[in-house]
Amino acid sequence: PGYLTLPVGKSARNLPAVVLPHGGPAYRDEWGFDWIAQFLAARGYAVLQPDFRGSMGYGWKHYSSGLKQWGLAMQDDLNDGVDALVKQGTVNKDRVCIAGASYGGYAVMMGLVRDPQVWKCGINSVGVTDLALLTDATWSDTNQYWDAAGEWYKFAVGDSGADRARFEQTSPLRNAAKITRPVLMAYGA
């Protein structure tokens, strides 16, 4: 599931595209005005906002299929969305960018690490780049306001000890040398 915003007045064929994976990752996009999607569509882009596995609001099966799937099946969902639009002829496969914040920023970085043939560029705003740091940090904004954050991370993302090999494979920081596409990264306090 997801939302596709198309530019007004243009043929919905062979368009450049931006995929906007949401943050959370348990959040979801909802029907209604989205200024980023509208801004991009007004400039001629097709904008895909996928509610990939792990997104809330589609039942337990959809949500739970995203558990411990950061950089894996959740990433495949983004690629599948692009593939479907390319097969329909809506999107030009050589003009697809990925942009997001928080988990969406993580998906940007993993997309550039894993699938440079899909993504021609990326924009990462405050994205997670190291899963071990995410799950172990005690000073983060999440842990600061939520006592159960550590247990939720173990349940949903994994354990930095038990899942070390997977964390190495799916942490953009550990795979930065594989990034060959242009990327804009924005972070702040």
Side-chain angles (χ1 to χ4, degrees), residues 9-186:
K10 286 186 90 171
S11 168
R13 306 288 303 159
N14 203 35
L15 295 169
V18 178
V19 176
L20 298 175
H22 57 71
Y27 302 132
R28 65 174 281 190
D29 287 305
E30 295 184 0
W31 179 251
F33 180 80
D34 182 294
W35 74 268
I36 296 174
Q38 293 299 318
F39 173 83
L40 293 166
R43 280 143 185 84
Y45 293 92
V47 181
L48 177 63
Q49 296 172 274
D51 281 329
F52 45 84
R53 69 187 78 209
S55 301
M56 299 283 263
Y58 296 97
W60 175 249
K61 185 176 178 182
H62 186 79
Y63 172 76
S64 66
S65 65
L67 296 175
K68 300 185 180 179
Q69 292 299 305
W70 286 46
L72 302 169
M74 291 165 73
Q75 205 71 33
D76 295 339
D77 292 345
L78 305 178
N79 295 352
D80 290 346
V82 171
D83 289 344
L85 292 173
V86 168
K87 285 179 185 164
Q88 292 171 7
T90 304
V91 167
N92 179 332
K93 70 176 179 62
D94 296 321
R95 299 180 68 201
V96 180
C97 184
I98 183 171
S102 190
Y103 174 82
Y106 167 84
V108 166
M109 300 307 291
M110 274 312 297
L112 298 175
V113 165
R114 269 187 31 156
D115 306 301
Q117 75 284 1
V118 175
W119 312 108
K120 305 311 175 203
C121 63
I123 302 170
N124 161 18
S125 177
V126 300
V128 173
T129 59
D130 186 339
L131 295 184
L133 179 60
L134 171 72
T135 59
D136 292 346
T138 57
W139 47 263
S140 77
D141 54 351
T142 303
N143 289 325
Q144 186 174 344
Y145 301 110
W146 184 28
D147 291 337
E151 290 306 310
W152 182 84
Y153 284 137
K154 285 181 185 175
F155 171 74
V157 182
D159 180 276
S160 63
D163 299 311
R164 184 169 186 234
R166 180 170 52 83
F167 277 21
E168 290 288 321
Q169 173 195 359
T170 58
S171 288
L173 179 69
R174 308 284 174 226
N175 295 281
K178 295 178 182 176
I179 297 174
T180 59
R181 299 294 188 184
V183 60
L184 171 66
M185 297 173 65

